[in-house]
Amino acid sequence: MNKIERVRAALAARPVDRVPASFWTNFEPQAANSKAMARAHIDFYRSTSPDFLKVMNDNPFELVGIERVSTPTDWLRLKPNCRKSRVRQDYLDGLKEILDAVGQECMVIVTMFNPFATANDNMSCTLDFSDAGFEAIINHLREDSRSTCAGLRTIAESLTEFTSDCIELGASGLFLSANGGGRHRFNASQFSEYIAPDDCQILKAAIDAGSEFNLLHVCGSSLRLESYAWYPAHAVNWAAQANNPDLKQGRQLFSQTLVGGPDQAGAITSDSFDSIANEVNAAIAEAGRLNFILGAGCALENNVPAANLIAARQAVLHAG
């Protein structure tokens, strides 16, 4: 099997010659777009040989119609992004270069952060990850959910359009980083009202545009994973080590392919190849060979040596 055949088989719960494996990472800010983005991803692919390539998207979301968001009612003035914005076009240019280089060898999927996370991290018109607890957007939703949800819908409209453009360019699918699912953030009813509709709109748009690989990454700890079981995704990924259900429990929740296993901050970051192999073998034993792709529970730090990822891949080969 080649890489594309192997991943397609895993997504369809068909037998594979070996379990597919792929890890993804963050890159330096200067590699967020255009040629620098393409070179960083192509170099990563060539040095680690993943079975699919996830393209990061660390770009700001441009606030149109408003300079910054300070109060919930500010969200009412937000307008959709321009389809021809420079940021978008630079990302698409970089994506095309990646597709031209490796798109015939493996599936390439693009990253979008869900509207909940996008809203929180772009309130000042610059990309700011300092509010890791998403307190700003949570407070806005609690104070005035109607106005805030209107802003989230506007963001969803822009991300839906952007996702479709990426798929139509040739990307195989979408990696949706879905935040907001922690049990401590919202109850099930609030989640269904505030978060799920926008997430599903983007995932459905990807499928409508031709995606064959929607990978839903449920981000965070103490997750209400059952709320994601009906999302229109081909595969699901989460950090099983962060007070979340393990892979075996995930099998009871999801009919889709599971992606995960190793702890992104665990053995994969160490200098012990034996520890990496043990964690890989344990994940395969727990999840099984069918309907499973090995990967970390979240993005790796960009200083993880390529040799460690090759060691994980070798462990998969030895597991058969």
Side-chain angles (χ1 to χ4, degrees):
M1 283 181 161
N2 63 34
K3 294 178 178 181
I4 294 175
E5 292 169 341
R6 187 175 298 117
V7 171
R8 282 178 175 160
L11 294 175
R14 298 196 306 266
V16 291
D17 58 340
R18 64 164 175 80
V19 171
S22 183
F23 296 88
W24 48 93
T25 188
N26 296 302
F27 296 96
E28 297 298 331
Q30 59 267 29
N33 257 336
S34 297
K35 289 188 176 298
M37 162 186 147
R39 179 48 48 201
H41 284 83
I42 294 167
D43 288 350
F44 177 78
Y45 174 80
R46 296 297 184 207
S47 65
T48 63
S49 193
D51 280 305
F52 70 86
L53 178 63
K54 171 193 173 293
V55 179
M56 180 50 80
N57 183 5
D58 277 334
N59 287 292
F61 182 88
E62 298 172 283
L63 298 182
V64 179
I66 186 171
E67 292 185 359
R68 65 180 297 123
V69 177
S70 300
T71 69
T73 54
D74 290 339
W75 289 113
L76 295 172
R77 306 204 311 274
L78 183 67
K79 305 297 181 186
N81 279 179
C82 173
R83 195 165 201 158
K84 299 298 183 183
S85 74
R86 187 70 265 162
V87 171
R88 282 203 201 184
Q89 290 306 307
D90 284 349
Y91 185 85
L92 292 171
D93 289 345
L95 176 60
K96 185 178 187 307
E97 193 169 335
I98 294 168
L99 291 168
D100 288 344
V102 306
Q104 297 303 310
E105 299 177 29
C106 73
M107 289 190 184
V108 176
I109 62 176
V110 296
T111 304
M112 298 288 164
F113 292 89
N114 72 340
F116 173 82
T118 298
N120 192 77
D121 295 338
N122 289 273
M123 288 189 184
S124 61
C125 247
T126 59
L127 191 59
D128 179 4
F129 295 124
S130 63
D131 183 8
F134 301 98
E135 295 302 323
I137 191 63
I138 289 172
N139 288 337
H140 281 192
L141 282 164
R142 288 174 176 164
E143 182 179 340
D144 182 352
S145 62
R146 185 188 67 84
S147 297
T148 306
C149 282
L152 297 182
R153 301 295 107 85
T154 300
I155 294 172
E157 179 182 341
S158 295
L159 295 180
T160 293
E161 185 179 72
F162 192 16
T163 298
S164 297
D165 288 347
C166 292
I167 304 296
E168 289 167 8
L169 187 66
S172 299
L174 166 68
F175 180 103
L176 182 69
S177 183
N179 282 279
R183 295 182 184 276
H184 56 294
R185 302 199 190 284
F186 305 110
N187 61 39
S189 176
Q190 290 169 328
F191 176 87
S192 296
E193 179 183 355
Y194 302 160
I195 310 296
D198 299 327
D199 291 356
C200 291
Q201 176 183 327
I202 297 166
L203 288 162
K204 184 177 184 302
I207 291 174
D208 290 345
S211 170
E212 61 176 315
F213 188 6
N214 273 3
L215 175 47
L216 170 66
H217 169 64
V218 188
C219 194
S221 61
S222 302
L223 294 167
R224 185 180 287 104
L225 273 185
E226 64 271 18
S227 293
Y228 293 91
W230 56 276
Y231 271 41
H234 303 100
V236 186
N237 167 251
W238 71 95
Q241 299 80 15
N243 196 30
N244 290 323
D246 59 26
L247 292 173
K248 184 176 181 180
Q249 292 167 325
R251 282 281 185 223
Q252 305 303 312
L253 293 172
F254 297 106
S255 61
Q256 300 100 316
T257 298
L258 303 186
V259 180
D263 181 353
Q264 70 272 12
I268 198 69
T269 68
S270 74
D271 56 3
S272 171
F273 290 176
D274 286 342
S275 296
I276 292 172
N278 289 339
E279 197 163 27
V280 167
N281 291 333
I284 294 174
E286 182 179 9
R289 287 170 46 85
L290 284 179
N291 221 20
F292 179 59
I293 298 175
L294 184 86
C298 199
L300 305 175
E301 295 300 322
N302 59 12
N303 59 355
V304 175
N308 290 23
L309 307 188
I310 295 297
R313 189 169 181 272
Q314 289 299 315
V316 170
L317 288 172
H318 292 150

